[in-house]
Amino acid sequence: MKTKNLVMAAVLLAVGTILHMIPGIVNGVKPDFLLATLFFALIINRDLKATIAIGVVAAALAALTTSFPGGQIPSVIDKIITSMIVFGLIKTFNVTEGSTKAVAILTGIGTIISGAIFLGSAMALVGLPGGAGFFPMMVAIVLPTAALNTIFGAILCKVYAGFLKYSYA
């Protein structure tokens, strides 16, 4: 694990946490932009130990900032499991920070996986707010968030490329 990459992961998670603090849209449920920064941090680090550490930190940050009623434990379950799945996808498809399309696609797919895990664990542990069903929540919240995160992932890729171009490290 390179210190430079871990520092970048910390910065990305900080940005994601700030974006995660937006108010809830539907019954306390909101888009999870922390995911895009989490996935990009995993792509930069490409290491199992770093993936576990970054996933645990993202889980804690998501749990602290969730507005979903009883969403702390589902947030932790979701971020840790999703981190491991996305790490497997990164390794399987050799996704690098220089491939904007691959990063964008991975971010969209990872967001859908994360949303399904979060809603499934929330439904099992605390129930969904307002008696909402799993599929309506997937359509109303997760799919639009996946679309937004796909765009955000591509933007992160371009910003990171510019950062590397002008940094002296």
Side-chain angles (χ1 to χ4, degrees), residues 59-148:
L61 293 170
L64 290 169
T65 58
T66 188
S67 60
F68 188 94
Q72 290 77 16
I73 293 172
S75 287
V76 170
I77 293 168
D78 153 44
K79 296 299 180 287
I80 293 172
I81 293 173
T82 300
S83 293
M84 299 308 294
I85 292 170
V86 169
F87 175 74
L89 292 173
I90 290 166
K91 288 294 196 177
T92 301
F93 297 106
N94 195 28
V95 179
T96 63
E97 65 270 11
S99 175
T100 305
K101 287 181 186 177
V103 170
I105 291 168
L106 177 82
T107 303
I109 291 170
T111 301
I112 292 169
I113 292 168
S114 173
I117 293 170
F118 178 83
L119 289 175
S121 60
M123 191 166 64
L125 295 172
V126 297
L128 297 178
F134 179 85
F135 290 108
M137 293 293 279
M138 284 292 290
V139 171
I141 301 296
V142 176
L143 294 180
T145 299
L148 291 171

